[in-house]
Amino acid sequence: MDHAADAHRTDLMTITRFVLNEQSKYPESRGDFTILLSHIVLGCKFVCSAVNKAGLAKLIGLAGETNIQGEEQKKLDVLSNDVFVKALVSSGRTSVLVSEEDEEATFVEPSKRGKYCVVFDPLDGSSNIDCGVSIGTIFGIYTLDHTDEPTTEDVLKPGNEMVAAGYCMYGSSCMLVLSTGTGVHGFTLDPSLGEFILTHPDIKIPNKGNIYSVNEGNAQNWDGPTTKYVEKCKFPKDGSHAKSLRYVGSMVADVHRTLLYGGIFLYPADKKSPNGKLRVLYEVFPMSFLMEQAGGQAFTGKKRALDLVPEKIHERSPIFLGSYDDVEEIKALYAEE
Ligand code: AFP
């Protein structure tokens, strides 16, 4: 019998135990973050269960509404948004919420307020719902640094001020990837226990990868550096192998693969979308935070992504993120401009 393996199997590090362990390193901590996270985890479990049942429960289909980005909202988007907003408000630990699905920020009523602000995309990649491809929830957390009435200014802060970020991927397994600023850790939902168990401690992205991930259908509208970079991926002139192309079109799935296997994920600006497509607060920042914590980089084409200061809650930005050396190459091409 393999006693070491058995000990591992019987000493389960749940996400709550993990965060409580982290919390014990800060004697002044009162457990607010642990409580907030447990509400986010609850939201993820609910959405995971809804996504799994979607086909059966006839939840798939249009809800007859469009969101502020002009996109069709699916029933699962509406449901996921409701679940997360209610879970976050009822945690009693939040003051400002920004969701991809809501035009305006939500300000929590005074009696339920707490010291955190949460920005999130409750169900990213929703155009993939109908074909069963992996989708996910993305979130970033800021602290409220004053006791005055909260405003949107409390979330219009650079990503480097986030205290935590993560995503939950609803795929062949349900996985929550989290960073509280001390590395990146992955937890897989054990459906029989209903608990997220630490399965991927201290994830480090390889320094260089052999995969690039981009919607190449937009190539005719790209700028010079992006065009040159993708050309280099396909036809390297330095004797290295050409990179493979992988693109799901669901940011959580594409970033998750990039984090584990290395390589680069690009959503550049193009002539039609000069600011790219992805949203700064709840797509670009959380994923950039995770990439940096895993040893990679995230770049906008102009600067370090986490140094952006958003002016609007639904602002967009071009983004290039992934392995350190791969992002270094695209930075060099933009520097030549
Ligand atoms: P949807 O939620 O509309 O499916 O958009 C997903 C997304 O915001 C992000 O998850 C993808 O990386 C990106 O858009 C894909 O965009 P393209 O379809 O333009 O490649």
Side-chain angles (χ1 to χ4, degrees):
M1 184 179 179
D2 181 346
H3 289 284
D6 195 48
H8 189 65
R9 270 198 300 272
T10 53
D11 187 22
L12 303 175
M13 179 61 82
T14 64
I15 193 163
T16 310
R17 182 176 156 198
F18 181 88
V19 175
L20 282 170
N21 281 355
E22 292 280 299
Q23 183 194 315
S24 65
K25 295 176 194 159
Y26 305 94
E28 71 287 358
S29 164
R30 292 172 47 231
D32 290 321
F33 183 80
T34 309
I35 292 170
L36 171 64
L37 189 76
S38 71
H39 283 75
I40 293 177
V41 164
L42 177 67
C44 294
K45 285 183 195 168
F46 184 95
V47 175
C48 177
S49 153
V51 168
N52 286 339
K53 286 187 290 208
L56 294 170
K58 291 198 168 49
L59 284 164
I60 288 175
L62 301 181
E65 293 173 36
T66 51
N67 67 13
I68 49 119
Q69 326 277 353
E71 297 158 336
E72 290 169 334
Q73 254 186 18
K74 309 262 174 164
K75 279 185 178 168
L76 274 177
D77 302 43
V78 179
L79 185 68
S80 308
N81 193 40
D82 285 356
V83 165
F84 275 100
V85 170
K86 286 183 179 133
L88 291 167
V89 170
S90 66
S91 76
R93 300 299 183 279
T94 59
S95 285
V96 187
L97 307 177
V98 171
S99 165
E100 198 249 2
E101 297 294 336
D102 295 324
E103 185 168 1
E104 306 290 343
T106 300
F107 296 98
V108 178
E109 62 179 85
S111 66
K112 291 185 178 153
R113 275 183 200 159
K115 68 173 183 189
Y116 292 105
C117 305
V118 182
V119 292
F120 61 103
D121 187 343
L123 202 56
D124 189 64
S126 50
S127 62
N128 287 302
I129 294 172
D130 290 0
C131 60
V133 164
S134 299
I135 47 183
T137 298
I138 311 175
F139 58 91
I141 303 174
Y142 290 102
T143 41
L144 192 70
D145 48 17
H146 59 82
T147 49
D148 302 337
E149 195 60 19
T151 68
T152 45
E153 293 305 311
D154 292 311
V155 287
L156 295 176
K157 294 178 177 177
N160 58 43
E161 290 187 25
M162 280 185 171
V163 291
Y167 60 80
C168 187
M169 186 174 70
Y170 313 109
S172 54
S173 58
C174 177
M175 199 168 163
L176 200 153
V177 174
L178 174 73
S179 178
T180 55
T182 53
V184 179
H185 307 282
F187 303 82
T188 305
L189 182 64
D190 180 333
S192 60
L193 298 174
E195 293 275 7
F196 281 99
I197 308 293
L198 180 64
T199 48
H200 295 64
D202 202 17
I203 298 171
K204 292 287 174 225
I205 183 169
N207 271 341
K208 197 166 174 57
N210 54 16
I211 298 173
Y212 74 105
S213 185
V214 66
N215 184 342
E216 234 177 314
N218 295 330
Q220 60 175 321
N221 292 319
W222 287 344
D223 62 13
T226 300
T227 307
K228 273 190 211 157
Y229 181 76
V230 172
E231 194 69 3
K232 256 180 100 177
C233 291
K234 297 196 278 193
F235 305 102
K237 297 211 169 75
D238 58 2
S240 60
H241 287 295
K243 287 191 193 305
S244 292
L245 168 64
R246 299 279 184 273
Y247 189 69
V248 177
S250 176
M251 191 188 196
V252 173
D254 283 316
V255 169
H256 187 64
R257 183 201 53 250
T258 306
L259 195 61
L260 296 187
Y261 296 170
I264 188 163
F265 168 84
L266 312 81
Y267 209 110
D270 63 44
K271 277 183 220 144
K272 283 195 191 151
S273 318
N275 295 320
K277 176 182 180 188
L278 301 180
R279 289 65 155 206
V280 172
L281 275 182
Y282 39 79
E283 292 183 306
V284 169
F285 278 172
M287 294 313 203
S288 300
F289 188 94
L290 291 167
M291 277 297 157
E292 286 200 4
Q293 285 292 320
Q297 296 198 71
F299 176 63
T300 64
K302 291 196 171 105
K303 55 159 87 168
R304 176 187 176 216
L306 291 179
D307 289 342
L308 270 178
V309 186
E311 286 171 10
K312 295 189 205 132
I313 58 173
H314 296 292
E315 194 167 307
R316 299 169 194 258
S317 168
I319 185 69
F320 306 87
L321 53 78
S323 292
Y324 194 95
D325 292 353
D326 291 319
V327 177
E328 212 49 30
E329 280 184 31
I330 191 113
K331 281 166 84 175
L333 290 168
Y334 274 97
E336 281 171 14
E337 275 258 290

